[in-house]
Amino acid sequence: MPGLPTSAEAFVTLVTNSEYGLGAAVLGYRLRAVGTTRATVVMVTESVPETTRKMLSKTWDTVLDVTQLDSNDSDRLAMLKRPELGITFSKLNVWKLTQYKKVVFVDADTMPLSNIDDLFQYEELSACRDAGWPDCFNTGLFVLTPSLETYKALIRRACDDGSFDGGDQGLLNAHFSTWSHGDIRKHIPFSYNVNPNASYTYLPAYKHFADQVKMVHFLGAVKPWHYQYANGRVQGQNLTEHTLKFLEQWHKVA
Amino acid sequence: MPGLPTSAEAFVTLVTNSEYGLGAAVLGYRLRAVGTTRATVVMVTESVPETTRKMLSKTWDTVLDVTQLDSNDSDRLAMLKRPELGITFSKLNVWKLTQYKKVVFVDADTMPLSNIDDLFQYEELSACRDAGWPDCFNTGLFVLTPSLETYKALIRRACDDGSFDGGDQGLLNAHFSTWSHGDIRKHIPFSYNVNPNASYTYLPAYKHFADQVKMVHFLGAVKPWHYQYANGRVQGQNLTEHTLKFLEQWHKVA
Ligand SMILES: O=c1ccn([C@@H]2O[C@H](COP(=O)(O)OP(=O)(O)O)[C@@H](O)[C@H]2O)c(=O)[nH]1
Ligand SMILES: O=c1ccn([C@@H]2O[C@H](COP(=O)(O)OP(=O)(O)O)[C@@H](O)[C@H]2O)c(=O)[nH]1
Ligand SMILES: [Mn+2]
Ligand SMILES: [Mn+2]
């Protein structure tokens, strides 16, 4: 692949507690299993216990402390007015990792099925369409260029306008609002961030495109670590066959 | 608007029975209420009763008979092997309406909230992203150029490969497969074909973009005419406030 030396590029995720730490441990394992050639960085906040950090260091190249609230005083003050955006602010820390020229951010509740290093061909801000409101991108996976300027602009926007969904997805879609009908090269195929959903058009399409799926995203309130797992089997109701299969694949690693 | 004389352009829907006839009656009424300047055509199959045709003629400019199975013998023979695609084949008839230079096809279960004539600026094949598998387009609304050649190519594809979802959406997405990552000008904003869904990312986005919504699509097994309606109120469980509002708006017209 032409472009940057791969050492200047990294996969990055975020962990603020031990539950998401489990998710990140699986993700880190899978990234190595599919043979990534890029650096892997897990950002952890002060609230993450030492045992989790230790576990993460086994599957991630770098376990990096980030402040849940920025240390810059005026930022901190403004942020404190919107405590509900705490985790969003932590995610924005990825723009401060200027030691990397390009980053693929991935949620801790994702699981790559095959190598996804070709994502580094994309430019900021590239992402997949959201199943739900498909003119928004889903922020479980996005390609960005770290920059303190962008970081500050995002913080400013968050403090001024908040986020229309109370999380990072609303904020980032408001900021990168030309994504929807701008440059189609910034639309990563949905197969890189497949979020199983209940829409009745999803299932036949999933079956048709199944062999192209490169990453699964367990988005929503119920995460893989919430399911009971015993003897290679996940206990769960109203799950499609392939969701069950992915959950079991996840648990085999965890 | 520059381009074709508006008489060469039409909104077209399809009705194969009296239930969808109700849907089309509301749609036809709404198209006039929002002041369309284009012709409106409802295609009906032989199975549609006379009373329904009469009702439809009140809100549509043209009630047009189309054959459920094409009269061409070899087509008919091939089609008969795939009876499940019957309604899909009926929809494809829209490509035969070569008396129009451009057509906006709209499902009979849709309801425009405001004028959508600007859709005629789009070229074949333009459509909105599907909430569910967002790299597919939803075939509840699409812009096309009638052409016997395209019609035949679609019939051929249906006979050879069927449809991955058993309906027109699978067939048309397979045929116009470059849509997903081709020309972004063929991506109509989602606000023209909003299909309420249960994905948890949908609701906050809906609230944020609500004032941009131009058309609602009651996609899925439960249609507006399945709900009880009395004293200006729709009886329904697990409905969001705005879905209820749209259903009541629909029933006020029906
Ligand atoms: O309590 C939390 C919530 C979120 N996250 C991080 O933020 C991401 C986004 O949250 P989540 O995946 O729960 O959102 P969803 O994808 O379900 O919308 C997670 O994957 C984690 O990386 C975290 O570390 N702790
Ligand atoms: O029995 C049927 C089924 C469908 N249709 C027509 O085909 C369209 C597509 O079907 P539907 O809207 O039920 O599919 P959905 O949008 O729920 O996927 C309808 O809106 C109608 O115009 C019809 O006339 N009779
Ligand atoms: Mn997630
Ligand atoms: Mn429909």
Side-chain angles (χ1 to χ4, degrees):
Chain A
M1 203 176 306
L4 300 167
T6 57
S7 63
E9 301 178 334
F11 283 106
V12 176
T13 194
L14 167 71
V15 166
T16 71
N17 57 40
S18 54
E19 288 207 334
Y20 282 89
L22 268 178
V26 172
L27 169 59
Y29 176 89
R30 291 293 312 165
L31 281 172
R32 285 193 180 164
V34 300
T36 183
T37 61
R38 304 314 202 273
T40 62
V41 179
V42 52
M43 305 189 294
V44 294
T45 53
E46 49 210 356
S47 46
V48 175
E50 189 50 38
T51 48
T52 299
R53 289 159 191 259
K54 217 170 224 158
M55 174 186 70
L56 288 171
S57 68
K58 288 186 189 143
T59 56
W60 291 81
D61 297 343
T62 308
V63 180
L64 194 72
D65 266 281
V66 293
T67 41
Q68 187 130 12
L69 291 184
D70 190 77
S71 56
N72 174 301
D73 266 352
S74 66
D75 282 4
R76 181 193 284 267
L77 224 64
M79 282 177 196
L80 285 173
K81 290 190 203 135
R82 298 188 173 273
E84 82 283 6
L85 290 178
I87 283 153
T88 298
F89 283 116
S90 305
K91 210 175 194 180
L92 299 183
N93 274 303
V94 65
W95 264 277
K96 288 162 93 181
L97 306 185
T98 50
Q99 61 270 47
Y100 301 105
K101 294 278 166 278
K102 201 183 273 185
V103 163
V104 174
F105 182 90
V106 262
D107 267 8
D109 60 343
T110 59
M111 180 174 75
L113 304 178
S114 57
N115 189 290
I116 52 172
D117 284 2
D118 50 1
L119 285 172
F120 289 96
Q121 293 171 342
Y122 289 85
E123 301 296 333
E124 174 174 290
L125 186 289
S126 292
C128 305
R129 296 169 193 150
D130 181 67
W133 195 276
D135 283 2
C136 284
F137 52 88
N138 182 279
T139 54
L141 174 141
F142 55 95
V143 181
L144 70 132
T145 305
S147 144
L148 291 181
E149 230 164 289
T150 310
Y151 172 75
K152 279 182 190 154
L154 285 164
I155 294 286
R156 215 174 307 124
R157 182 180 295 272
C159 295
D160 291 352
D161 306 336
S163 160
F164 69 73
D165 67 354
D168 55 284
Q169 184 153 318
L171 178 70
L172 292 176
N173 272 278
H175 195 75
F176 297 100
S177 64
T178 58
W179 176 87
S180 175
H181 287 83
D183 186 349
I184 197 133
R185 289 171 302 179
K186 295 185 174 178
H187 287 228
I188 302 172
F190 186 62
S191 51
Y192 284 82
N193 181 0
V194 173
N195 17 108
N197 65 74
S199 167
Y200 91 121
T201 55
Y202 166 76
L203 204 57
Y206 173 81
K207 285 180 177 155
H208 184 62
F209 296 112
D211 60 350
Q212 297 171 28
V213 174
K214 290 186 174 271
M215 199 179 78
V216 177
H217 181 190
F218 300 101
L219 124 179
V222 189
K223 299 299 187 198
W225 49 89
H226 294 137
Y227 289 94
Q228 297 293 332
Y229 177 74
N231 306 320
R233 290 267 162 278
V234 159
Q235 313 297 322
Q237 276 160 357
N238 297 325
L239 293 170
T240 61
E241 207 182 312
H242 65 275
T243 304
L244 203 62
K245 190 188 77 187
F246 291 139
L247 286 169
E248 287 168 356
Q249 218 169 327
W250 187 95
H251 275 277
K252 259 173 212 126
V253 174
Chain B
M1 200 176 307
L4 298 168
T6 57
S7 63
E9 301 178 334
F11 284 105
V12 176
T13 194
L14 166 71
V15 167
T16 71
N17 57 40
S18 53
E19 288 208 333
Y20 282 90
L22 267 178
V26 172
L27 169 59
Y29 176 90
R30 291 292 313 163
L31 281 172
R32 285 192 180 167
V34 300
T36 183
T37 63
R38 304 314 202 273
T40 63
V41 179
V42 51
M43 304 188 294
V44 294
T45 54
E46 49 210 355
S47 46
V48 175
E50 190 50 38
T51 47
T52 300
R53 290 160 189 258
K54 216 169 225 158
M55 174 186 68
L56 288 170
S57 68
K58 287 187 190 141
T59 56
W60 291 81
D61 297 342
T62 307
V63 180
L64 193 72
D65 266 281
V66 293
T67 40
Q68 187 130 14
L69 292 183
D70 190 79
S71 55
N72 176 301
D73 266 352
S74 67
D75 281 6
R76 181 192 284 268
L77 222 65
M79 283 176 195
L80 285 174
K81 289 189 201 137
R82 298 188 173 273
E84 82 282 7
L85 290 179
I87 284 154
T88 299
F89 282 116
S90 305
K91 211 176 195 178
L92 298 183
N93 274 304
V94 65
W95 264 276
K96 287 162 93 179
L97 306 185
T98 50
Q99 61 271 47
Y100 301 104
K101 295 279 165 278
K102 201 184 272 185
V103 163
V104 175
F105 182 91
V106 262
D107 267 9
D109 59 343
T110 59
M111 180 175 74
L113 304 177
S114 57
N115 190 289
I116 54 173
D117 285 1
D118 50 1
L119 285 172
F120 289 96
Q121 294 172 341
Y122 288 86
E123 300 296 334
E124 173 173 292
L125 183 290
S126 293
C128 306
R129 295 169 193 149
D130 181 68
W133 195 275
D135 283 2
C136 284
F137 52 88
N138 181 278
T139 52
L141 174 141
F142 55 95
V143 181
L144 70 132
T145 305
S147 144
L148 291 181
E149 229 164 289
T150 310
Y151 172 75
K152 278 183 190 154
L154 285 164
I155 294 287
R156 214 176 305 124
R157 182 180 295 271
C159 295
D160 291 352
D161 307 336
S163 160
F164 68 74
D165 67 355
D168 55 286
Q169 184 153 318
L171 178 70
L172 292 176
N173 272 279
H175 194 75
F176 297 99
S177 64
T178 58
W179 176 87
S180 175
H181 287 82
D183 186 349
I184 197 134
R185 288 170 303 177
K186 295 186 174 179
H187 286 229
I188 302 171
F190 186 61
S191 50
Y192 284 82
N193 181 359
V194 173
N195 17 108
N197 64 74
S199 167
Y200 92 120
T201 56
Y202 166 77
L203 204 56
Y206 173 81
K207 285 181 177 153
H208 184 61
F209 296 112
D211 59 350
Q212 297 172 28
V213 174
K214 290 186 173 272
M215 199 179 78
V216 177
H217 181 189
F218 299 101
L219 124 181
V222 189
K223 299 300 185 196
W225 49 89
H226 294 138
Y227 289 95
Q228 296 292 333
Y229 177 74
N231 306 320
R233 290 266 162 278
V234 159
Q235 312 298 324
Q237 276 160 356
N238 297 323
L239 294 170
T240 61
E241 206 182 312
H242 64 276
T243 304
L244 202 62
K245 190 188 76 185
F246 291 140
L247 285 169
E248 288 168 355
Q249 218 169 326
W250 186 95
H251 274 277
K252 259 174 211 126
V253 174

